[in-house]
Structure formats: C-alpha cells, structure tokens
C-alpha cells in the first residue's frame, strides 16, 4: 500500500512537470524506485493510475467536506466561512493534480474522468445547498437554485484563478470576502423574484431525498470511526432508497429506517436533512 501511494504521488509530480501524455510509465516507475514490470502489479495502465488518483481525491474531498459540516462553538456564519476555507484549501493543496486534470482532460474527453467529476460536482452541490440553508435559514429556499449557482460560480472562478494561474491567496480572507458578498445577495432577496425554480427545486423533496441518501452512503463508505454496524447502516440506506422509488412508500418503514440511521452520531447532520425532506414530502402529499 505504501508503494502504491508513492507511485501515485510521484505520478502527480511528473504529470504536473511534464504533462500526462508526455510522462511514460517507465519514468513513473524509475521515480518510485521500481521496475516498469513492477508498475503493472499496481496499475494496468497509466490511465488507470490517473483514475485511481481521481477517485481518491473525490473520496477525500467529500469526506473532509462532510466532517467539517458541523463545527462546535461557532455561529452559523463563522461555520460557513470555516467550511468554505477548508474546501478552498482542499482544492489548493491538490493544485498539481487538478492542474493536470484541467489541462489534459477537458470536460467529456474521458468518460471515467467525466463521471467521477460529475459525481464530485453533484455531491458538492448538495453540500453547498444545505450549508447555505443552514447559514441563512429557510427564507432562502424559494431562491435556492439561484443562490447555489451564484455561490458555486464565485467559488469556481476563484479556484480556477488560484490553481491554473498559480495565484497565492489568504484562504480565510477569501472565504470571508465571499461570505460578505453572499450576505449582500441574501439581504437583497426581498426586493426580487427567483429566476430558476426547476433545478434543485425545494418543492421536489423526493429527488432530494435520493440525493441525500447518496451522500449518506458515500460518507459511510469513506468513514472508519462509526459506532454502529456499518453493514446494517448501508442496508438501511439501500432499503430507504428502494422504498422511496416505489409509487406508494410505506411511511412507518421510512420513519423507522430514518430513526435507525439517526442513532449514528457521525450521520446526525445528514439525517437531520433527510428527516426535514421526508416531513416536507409527507406534508406535500
């Protein structure tokens, strides 16, 4: 495992210096102190090595983002800034890898890369959505699509500027600045109307419940310090997902499964969101 991790780290360095296509398997093997033949004991191809690195980056980013979602002893706004700072640090700390990815693999050029990046985007959208609601309250829900798009647009442009143009930045100062901008936007909402209402629509809790279950499943798969039986928790998530896809979900079963998941301390935030969405679904019906 140590040698495999070293291979991935050396590969990122070489890809960053020379480019993905200009770096050979031989060079990666030599930089790691192994033979070219030994490389293939760990990875089938150079592409499979890149995909493995991307999967690991995805898992780490979601794991870190989820673990930072609840911060004790802070106001909601302070927690918002802290969470944002941490996410920006994740992108910046992995600058070399994402530089290679953005430059060598434009969107839709590689199916596996596109699928993993799409999954990362979807997971972050859900995390951002709930973070924004936690920060500013349910008053922003009618505008949530517009708010998320604006927030992610700001983050994206700063991330691209910092990573691709190699700018240095005080992450906490940047997060505080973005939070101030978001404050101004939220304060202006009473004087305007939402533009987009069909994407991330708060009136469609069933789809959001399924998204939330995906987040819970990802967190379970990427977290080790779980006090409850992980397999049973995963089965509960799978049963919830199956039940939600039926035409007439059984309320008593859904409530029992949600209650069971709520027993796991590490899932409290996600299950709170799940429970809120479920109650909205029942009210709508």
């Amino acid at each position: 495992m140590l040698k495999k991790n070293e291979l991935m780290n050396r590969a990122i360095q070489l890809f960053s210096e020379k480019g993905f296509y200009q770096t050979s398997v031989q060079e990666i093997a030599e930089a790691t102190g192994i033979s070219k033949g030994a490389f293939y004991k760990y990875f089938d191809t150079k592409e499979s090595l890149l995909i493995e690195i991307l999967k690991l980056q995805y898992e780490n980013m979601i794991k870190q983002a989820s673990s930072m979602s609840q911060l004790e002893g802070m106001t909601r706004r302070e927690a918002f800034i802290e969470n944002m700072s941490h996410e920006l640090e994740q992108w910046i700390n992995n600058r070399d890898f994402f530089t290679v990815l953005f430059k060598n693999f434009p969107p839709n050029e590689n199916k596996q890369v596109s699928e993993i990046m799409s999954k990362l985007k979807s997971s972050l959208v859900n995390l951002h959505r709930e973070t924004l609601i936690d920060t500013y309250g349910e008053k922003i829900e009618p505008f949530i699509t517009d708010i998320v798009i604006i927030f992610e647009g700001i983050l994206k442009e700063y991330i691209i500027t910092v990573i691709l143009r190699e700018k240095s930045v005080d992450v906490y100062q940047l997060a505080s600045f973005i939070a101030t901008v978001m404050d101004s936007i939220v304060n202006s909402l009473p004087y305007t109307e939402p533009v987009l209402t069909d994407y991330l629509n708060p009136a469609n809790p069933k789809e959001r419940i399924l998204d939330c279950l995906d987040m819970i499943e990802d967190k379970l798969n990427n977290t080790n310090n779980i006090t409850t039986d992980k397999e049973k928790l995963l089965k509960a998530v799978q049963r919830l997902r199956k039940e939600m896809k039926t035409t007439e979900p059984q309320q008593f079963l859904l409530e029992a499964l949600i209650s069971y998941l709520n027993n796991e301390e590490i899932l409290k935030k996600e299950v709170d969101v799940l429970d809120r969405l479920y109650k909205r679904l029942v009210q709508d019906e």
Side-chain angles (χ1 to χ4, degrees):
M1 183 60 70
L2 289 175
K3 185 59 69 175
K4 184 176 182 180
N5 289 338
E6 186 181 353
L7 262 172
M8 291 192 285
N9 290 332
R10 294 293 185 187
I12 292 172
Q13 291 174 356
L14 287 169
F15 293 158
S16 177
E17 292 168 6
K18 302 183 62 177
F20 176 80
Y21 294 110
Q22 289 72 36
T23 303
S24 67
V25 169
Q26 181 70 47
E27 288 173 308
I28 298 170
E30 288 177 356
T32 315
I34 62 174
S35 67
K36 183 177 179 180
F39 173 93
Y40 292 108
K41 292 180 181 179
Y42 299 98
F43 301 101
D44 296 332
T45 63
K46 186 173 62 172
E47 287 73 15
S48 66
L49 164 62
L50 182 78
I51 296 300
E52 185 77 13
I53 296 170
L54 179 54
K55 286 180 179 177
L56 184 63
Q57 296 288 0
Y58 163 76
E59 291 170 0
N60 286 340
M61 287 196 73
I62 296 305
K63 180 179 178 180
Q64 291 296 327
S66 298
S67 68
M68 288 291 291
S69 58
Q70 283 186 311
L71 298 165
E72 298 295 331
M74 289 188 178
T75 65
R76 292 182 177 185
R77 190 177 188 278
E78 289 170 343
F80 178 41
I81 293 172
E82 197 67 30
N83 277 311
M84 201 189 326
S85 300
H86 194 72
E87 182 180 332
L88 288 165
E89 282 178 353
Q90 287 286 99
W91 286 101
I92 293 169
N93 290 342
N94 296 290
R95 183 201 306 260
D96 288 348
F97 174 71
F98 286 111
T99 299
V100 172
L101 202 64
F102 295 154
K103 288 183 176 179
N104 290 275
F105 292 90
N108 303 320
E109 184 173 293
N110 181 289
K111 183 178 179 182
Q112 284 183 287
V113 170
S114 295
E115 286 177 352
I116 298 170
M117 290 302 290
S118 177
K119 189 176 181 183
L120 174 60
K121 176 176 174 56
S122 177
S123 297
L124 289 175
V125 164
N126 285 321
L127 284 168
H128 292 157
R129 185 190 193 288
E130 299 308 329
T131 298
L132 287 163
I133 291 175
D134 283 346
T135 304
Y136 296 108
E138 294 187 358
K139 66 182 180 182
I140 71 168
E141 287 217 10
F143 301 86
I144 194 61
T145 298
D146 300 307
I147 295 296
V148 170
I149 288 173
I150 291 168
F151 177 65
E152 294 206 323
I154 295 170
L155 277 180
K156 178 184 174 183
E157 289 305 314
Y158 274 111
I159 288 167
I160 289 174
T161 299
V162 170
I163 290 178
L164 295 186
R165 299 179 186 173
E166 299 184 358
K167 300 289 185 181
S168 59
V169 65
D170 182 318
V171 171
Y172 187 83
Q173 181 183 3
L174 174 56
S176 299
F177 174 76
I178 295 173
T180 300
V181 172
M182 296 308 299
D183 291 345
S184 298
I185 292 170
V186 169
N187 289 335
S188 72
L189 293 182
Y191 308 101
T192 187
E193 293 292 330
V195 177
L196 298 177
T197 57
D198 56 341
Y199 176 66
L200 296 178
N201 190 344
N204 189 7
K206 196 166 188 178
E207 287 185 14
R208 288 187 54 217
I209 285 173
L210 292 173
D211 288 340
C212 190
L213 290 173
D214 288 341
M215 287 177 59
I216 292 172
E217 188 171 51
D218 279 341
K219 189 165 188 178
L220 286 171
N221 285 325
N222 296 306
T223 306
N224 294 321
N225 55 332
I226 295 174
T227 56
T228 316
D229 188 313
K230 181 185 284 192
E231 289 303 315
K232 289 183 178 179
L233 290 169
L234 285 169
K235 286 180 179 178
V237 171
Q238 292 160 9
R239 188 69 183 87
L240 267 165
R241 186 183 290 113
K242 182 178 179 181
E243 191 64 26
M244 283 305 306
K245 291 181 178 179
T246 63
T247 53
E248 294 185 11
Q250 301 178 67
Q251 287 190 20
F252 77 91
L253 179 58
L254 293 174
E255 290 169 6
L257 290 168
I258 292 171
S259 177
Y260 176 70
L261 290 175
N262 197 42
N263 290 325
E264 174 52 51
E265 187 65 32
I266 205 166
L267 298 177
K268 287 290 186 185
K269 177 178 173 59
E270 290 80 3
V271 177
D272 283 347
V273 173
L274 179 64
D275 187 51
R276 190 164 68 231
L277 292 171
Y278 167 72
K279 288 175 179 175
R280 184 177 298 144
L281 177 66
V282 173
Q283 289 173 357
D284 290 347
E285 292 178 346

